Amino acid sequence: MQLGKVIRTYRKNKNMTQEEMAGRLGVTAPAVNKWENGNSFPDITLLAPIARLLDISLNTLLSFHEELTEEEIRAVIYELDAMLKERPYDQVFQWARRKLEEYPNCEQLIWQAALILDVQRIVEKIPDAEKYDAYLLSLYTRALESGDEAIRRHAAEALFGFYMRKEAYEQAEGYLIYFSAQDPMRKIKQAQLHQAAGRRTEAYKAYEELLFSIYQVVNLALQGIYSLALRDQNLEKAQMLADKQAEMARCFGMGKYYEACAGLEIATIKKDTEAVLEIMREMLSGLEQIGSFSTNPLYEHMDFKETREEFRKEMKQNLLAAFQDEESFGFLKKDRRWQELVRFT
């Protein structure tokens, strides 16, 4: 890390502005700004005062260590973990702090070490654990500024957990922005926050919305694998996947229509007359309650649009027209039961 970046990193860790630092050193704020941007360097006589002001060693201030490799990071983390099992927590904490000062630009090492130290003090119920808060928070905050999205997400997760334990729910919620709106973990954490804060209705709704979206995602995944199995002419696997889709619809309370429709295509491919006719009947019958999931207790705190009668009638007409498709259902043409089902004339 360049000298200017080291200065900026540790100045921010101490919550010090450029103006405050300049005042303490007897220089101007623009001078500090130039150091941090790499446009100039401090006078050699200022190096020791800068190090003292930032509470770091000259070695750290002048550190030009390159980024550690994945293997080197694993070695440090392994050593940290082993030491925590054998030595007093504070002793290991100080060792880790010195190690991180050697590599102030290694963001992956920073968040991993911070997480291990944080978890250890909670699990082992270290006395006066709060005295380590400020430093661990500074590590997470540094990781939060990483250019690596995964590291930012890990840091945000740790900070969310930290403030949840402190029952500082408003601060915890602020870190949810680091999770994609499509990330299920964001919804889970939002629900956990509502629950912990005593907002039961909001918690129920968040969990239910997550459950409903999980059904849609898993169903799409099963449908995709099912399509691949058909393309590979693996009818046994396709049947298994169709059965799984029906089980999913039943488990998630989606209603009889969705339970039945999953097996129609594979039954048609097999020209299984009895199965096809039974599925057709169930689908037509299930249309009467096509939106029944909206009244299922699983989703009682969610708001759904009411299924209009016109929509059901239109869907039934389309379904009956589809059941008369010659290419798909021609093998049923002479079956009286099929004729009655589709009002064939």
Side-chain angles (χ1 to χ4, degrees):
M1 182 183 290
Q2 296 178 350
L3 177 61
K5 291 183 179 180
V6 175
I7 293 174
R8 180 170 58 215
T9 295
Y10 285 97
R11 174 182 62 77
K12 287 186 175 181
N13 286 348
K14 294 186 73 66
N15 295 317
M16 186 185 303
T17 66
Q18 289 182 341
E19 289 76 11
E20 289 171 337
M21 183 174 186
R24 299 280 291 276
L25 294 171
V27 297
T28 64
V32 174
N33 184 269
K34 288 181 180 179
W35 299 343
E36 294 186 356
N37 289 319
N39 296 323
S40 67
F41 297 98
D43 186 275
I44 192 171
T45 60
L46 287 173
L47 294 180
I50 290 173
R52 286 194 296 270
L53 180 61
L54 299 179
D55 195 24
I56 58 176
S57 66
L58 273 173
N59 182 54
T60 299
L61 180 63
L62 300 175
S63 174
F64 288 90
H65 287 299
E66 297 295 327
E67 185 76 27
L68 291 170
T69 65
E70 291 285 340
E71 186 176 344
E72 289 171 328
I73 292 171
R74 282 195 296 271
V76 174
I77 293 301
Y78 179 83
E79 186 176 3
L80 172 60
D81 188 55
M83 290 173 65
L84 284 168
K85 295 174 182 175
E86 300 173 356
R87 303 184 187 179
Y89 180 85
D90 191 70
Q91 185 181 117
V92 181
F93 179 89
Q94 299 304 330
W95 174 88
R97 186 166 186 166
R98 290 191 297 271
K99 181 64 68 174
L100 293 179
E101 286 178 355
E102 291 181 35
Y103 300 98
N105 59 329
C106 188
E107 296 164 341
Q108 187 173 338
L109 178 62
I110 287 170
W111 82 260
Q112 288 185 333
L115 184 62
I116 289 175
L117 291 168
D118 200 5
V119 170
Q120 180 74 8
R121 67 178 182 150
I122 296 170
V123 172
E124 297 299 327
K125 298 180 180 179
I126 303 299
D128 300 321
E130 294 79 9
K131 72 179 183 180
Y132 303 103
D133 281 359
Y135 181 68
L136 292 174
L137 281 176
S138 74
L139 296 182
Y140 287 141
T141 303
R142 283 161 62 184
L144 202 62
E145 297 174 354
S146 172
D148 186 318
E149 183 180 355
I151 292 177
R152 290 199 304 273
R153 188 179 182 281
H154 286 306
E157 191 164 4
L159 286 162
F160 175 86
F162 175 87
Y163 285 111
M164 283 290 286
R165 293 193 299 272
K166 298 288 186 182
E167 298 183 5
Y169 302 124
E170 187 174 343
Q171 287 175 280
E173 191 167 19
Y175 293 100
L176 293 181
I177 63 171
Y178 290 90
F179 296 83
S180 166
Q182 288 72 44
D183 187 346
M185 286 305 300
R186 177 169 179 164
K187 184 65 73 173
I188 288 175
K189 291 184 180 302
Q190 184 72 70
Q192 291 173 338
L193 193 150
H194 287 319
Q195 185 174 353
R199 301 192 290 265
R200 295 174 63 83
T201 300
E202 291 91 337
Y204 269 121
K205 185 177 181 179
Y207 281 127
E208 290 168 10
E209 288 174 346
L210 178 63
L211 196 65
F212 194 75
S213 66
I214 285 174
Y215 166 74
Q216 294 173 314
V217 171
V218 175
N219 193 53
L220 284 172
L222 287 172
Q223 182 61 36
I225 303 172
Y226 167 84
S227 299
L228 289 171
L230 285 183
R231 187 174 298 178
D232 293 337
Q233 298 183 337
N234 189 340
L235 296 187
E236 183 179 354
K237 185 169 185 176
Q239 183 65 65
M240 179 271 289
L241 289 160
D243 291 343
K244 291 294 182 187
Q245 286 183 284
E247 290 173 19
M248 280 279 296
R250 187 160 43 252
C251 177
F252 283 80
M254 301 310 295
K256 291 294 183 181
Y257 176 85
Y258 294 102
E259 292 176 30
C261 68
L264 181 61
E265 184 180 21
I266 187 66
T268 304
I269 291 171
K270 291 180 177 181
K271 291 185 168 50
D272 185 337
T273 299
E274 299 303 321
V276 170
L277 288 172
E278 180 61 25
I279 291 171
M280 285 180 171
R281 291 191 193 98
E282 290 182 358
M283 289 176 67
L284 288 169
S285 173
L287 275 177
E288 298 303 316
Q289 297 179 324
I290 188 68
S292 62
F293 57 81
S294 64
T295 58
N296 191 296
L298 277 175
Y299 314 112
E300 63 181 330
H301 295 85
M302 290 180 63
D303 298 318
F304 294 98
K305 290 183 178 179
E306 184 178 353
T307 304
R308 296 179 294 107
E309 184 61 29
E310 293 81 0
F311 171 78
R312 276 194 287 267
K313 288 181 179 179
E314 182 181 351
M315 194 169 179
K316 185 174 183 178
Q317 291 173 355
N318 292 337
L319 205 55
L320 287 170
F323 288 167
Q324 297 179 57
D325 179 69
E326 179 74 23
E327 184 177 353
S328 299
F329 303 109
F331 68 96
L332 296 172
K333 198 168 185 178
K334 295 182 180 180
D335 193 296
R336 181 180 53 80
R337 295 169 297 175
W338 175 78
Q339 294 173 12
E340 291 177 353
L341 191 68
V342 299
R343 294 179 176 84
F344 182 75
T345 58

